Amino acid sequence: HISRKIEDSQATPQHISISVEEERQQHITSLLDLSPHLSPRYSLCARLGIYIHYMMMNALYSYGYSAAASYPSFTSSPIWLLGKRYQSQADNTGATNTAAAFKSFIDDLSQILWFTYRKDFPAIEYTPYASDVGWGCMLRCGQMMLAQAFKIHRFGHIAKPDADILSILKMFADISNETAPFSVHCIAGTGPKYGKDIGEWFAPSTIASVLSELVNQHVQLSTDLTVYTPSDGTIYKDAVSELCGEVAEKWKRNLVIIIPIHLGTDMNSIYYQPLLETFQIPQTLGIIGGKPRSSLYFVATQDNDLFYLDPHTLQATINMSSDFSIDTFKCATIRKLNVSEMDPSFAMAFYCANMADFLDLCLRMDQLNKRHPDAHIFSVSDKTPEDQNHEKDEDVLVEIDDDEFS
């Protein structure tokens, strides 16, 4: 899964498959060992530097899963979670601004799969990286958003028991294997094609491009699901029709849209309200973005606050080849930040189950733009401009120059 070729090597690279327990025992040794299965660009000094970084990140980030619930402050205003409205219900004291008053919201948010830093997974091929701590949080946010899209694609908005979710989780297992096409290994391994080496932070535009490629090249998924990533913040209906295989106003494939957006160097206050209102759109999958140099997955709003899932917890990797619990993929801690604190570079995602769903999304986007004529976050157009068609023909990569996220 590595785009970079192994050059100037005397030895033929061999994939070494070892268990998680062996990986844990051999972690320091493998970093300092000059074994031929690693790319020659990882010198002894480079590996020592990676190990020092790994140990520092272990010390910085909280370790382990906690089932203890932790909630921020609430108001009595409605909450919008991925297109669904929640009104407060008075708790047993009569209060309407407590966690108990929003129990339904808290229960539903806990069903969103939570991906975090993991350690002691089988090293990414030809590298010493056995953990994504300190550099993989945008990758984990991308996994959260994509897993949510897969859940809706497979089950709709109906809550399912844990046993039904296992097949989705296994697609994100921390292994380098075709059974886990959306693992950190595969995502990081596709990064060099978009200018990001393994171990480097991804920008929102990078994760959008990588996820789009991985889904669209997956043989089974691509038959009934496709990902569209417009490069200029505009959704072009003709491009969507082509991707979804439109025939007689019906689609062959459902659609995930991931729009990389860059609103300048600082978040201008004119964008606050339209951005918050996007969480009222039924098709929304939320926002992968964050605050400067810290990636987060935004899923809900109340007043001017954004609720999010935070990947910056370090956990041991899960061996998904045998029975396992999904408890560590459920977040018991709910956090929020004010919209003014949000980084202006992010990626906004939507899921459309059919053509009618897509046209409804386009209508809602147009209505949002009409309500906020001076603060368009995205736009919709019927036809792709000729210059973009030419770039597509010539296979030109168009990337937004975002700030990096850790």
Side-chain angles (χ1 to χ4, degrees):
H1 303 290
I2 300 296
S3 299
R4 183 186 298 276
K5 294 181 178 179
I6 307 299
E7 298 177 342
D8 302 322
S9 176
Q10 298 297 321
T12 301
Q14 299 291 326
H15 174 63
I16 297 179
S17 178
I18 58 179
S19 70
V20 172
E21 182 60 31
E22 289 172 326
E23 185 74 26
R24 183 181 294 110
Q25 295 171 357
Q26 298 175 15
H27 185 66
I28 299 177
T29 304
S30 66
L31 282 170
L32 302 181
D33 181 27
L34 295 175
S35 300
H37 73 279
L38 294 176
S39 167
R41 76 188 184 93
Y42 292 103
S43 65
L44 179 62
C45 288
R47 274 171 256 180
L48 181 59
I50 291 171
Y51 175 67
I52 293 172
H53 173 78
Y54 171 81
M55 295 302 292
M56 291 174 64
M57 293 299 104
N58 274 340
L60 282 173
Y61 293 105
S62 59
Y63 175 72
Y65 167 77
S66 173
S70 175
Y71 308 122
S73 60
F74 294 95
T75 70
S76 298
S77 302
I79 293 177
W80 287 90
L81 170 64
L82 298 181
K84 183 177 179 181
R85 187 178 189 267
Y86 298 79
Q87 186 64 54
S88 65
Q89 303 294 325
D91 63 17
N92 55 12
T93 68
T96 58
N97 61 346
T98 64
F102 286 100
K103 183 180 183 303
S104 180
F105 159 71
I106 292 170
D107 290 345
D108 286 354
L109 189 147
S110 70
Q111 297 304 308
I112 299 174
L113 292 174
W114 177 49
F115 290 87
T116 71
Y117 289 145
R118 297 280 176 169
K119 70 171 188 173
D120 300 325
F121 50 65
I124 297 175
E125 286 183 311
Y126 313 132
T127 81
Y129 288 104
S131 173
D132 62 315
V133 64
W135 57 270
C137 65
M138 180 58 79
L139 284 67
R140 298 299 185 180
C141 288
Q143 287 180 321
M144 287 189 262
M145 183 277 296
L146 194 60
Q148 181 66 16
F150 290 166
K151 284 176 63 180
I152 298 173
H153 181 63
R154 186 171 299 183
F155 307 122
H157 292 276
I158 301 172
K160 289 290 182 177
D162 290 355
D164 292 341
I165 305 299
L166 297 181
S167 59
I168 291 177
L169 273 176
K170 288 179 179 179
M171 300 177 76
F172 298 88
D174 294 321
I175 55 175
S176 180
N177 189 294
E178 62 183 12
T179 62
F182 310 107
S183 65
V184 159
H185 298 61
C186 291
I187 297 174
T190 308
K193 182 174 180 180
Y194 298 92
K196 296 293 182 182
D197 284 339
I198 296 171
E200 283 193 271
W201 305 321
F202 274 27
S205 59
T206 309
I207 191 65
S209 298
V210 169
L211 293 179
S212 177
E213 176 174 326
L214 291 176
V215 173
N216 291 339
Q217 73 181 10
H218 191 274
V219 175
Q220 292 177 315
L221 269 176
S222 60
T223 60
D224 65 355
L225 183 69
T226 188
V227 177
Y228 173 51
T229 306
S231 62
D232 61 355
T234 300
I235 296 173
Y236 295 103
K237 292 181 180 179
D238 61 335
V240 168
S241 296
E242 182 180 349
L243 270 175
C244 295
E246 181 183 337
V247 177
E249 298 186 352
K250 290 187 177 181
W251 283 359
K252 294 181 179 179
R253 289 176 289 275
N254 296 7
L255 177 68
V256 173
I257 303 172
I258 310 176
I259 312 174
I261 295 170
H262 191 73
L263 298 178
T265 56
D266 295 297
M267 180 67 79
N268 192 308
S269 59
I270 65 171
Y271 295 111
Y272 293 173
Q273 192 57 38
L275 192 150
L276 292 166
E277 288 181 25
T278 63
F279 287 88
Q280 301 177 21
I281 297 176
Q283 295 86 352
T284 185
L285 293 170
I287 293 174
I288 44 179
K291 48 190 178 182
R293 304 193 69 80
S294 184
S295 302
L296 307 167
Y297 178 35
F298 297 107
V299 295
T301 64
Q302 184 182 50
D303 299 323
N304 290 325
D305 291 327
L306 293 158
F307 296 94
Y308 61 86
L309 297 180
D310 188 347
H312 297 90
T313 294
L314 178 60
Q315 303 188 79
T317 197
I318 298 293
N319 182 359
M320 297 188 185
S321 61
S322 57
D323 292 340
F324 67 96
S325 169
I326 74 168
D327 285 349
T328 64
F329 295 93
K330 294 182 177 181
C331 185
T333 300
I334 299 177
R335 295 187 173 98
K336 69 177 183 178
L337 59 75
N338 190 275
V339 64
S340 63
E341 301 175 62
M342 184 178 171
D343 193 283
S345 293
F346 54 89
M348 189 173 288
F350 302 90
Y351 174 83
C352 298
N354 49 49
M355 185 175 178
D357 206 18
F358 170 68
L359 294 177
D360 178 74
L361 170 64
C362 293
L363 176 62
R364 291 175 185 274
M365 288 181 164
D366 285 338
Q367 291 172 341
L368 180 65
N369 286 337
K370 288 177 181 177
R371 290 196 299 273
H372 306 280
D374 298 324
H376 290 186
I377 297 174
F378 40 59
S379 60
V380 180
S381 181
D382 289 333
K383 294 193 66 175
T384 306
E386 286 299 323
D387 58 340
Q388 287 200 24
N389 280 323
H390 176 71
E391 287 176 349
K392 179 180 176 182
D393 294 338
E394 296 296 325
D395 195 26
V396 174
L397 175 65
V398 180
E399 274 290 294
I400 297 174
D401 184 18
D402 296 72
D403 295 332
E404 292 176 333
F405 286 70
S406 61

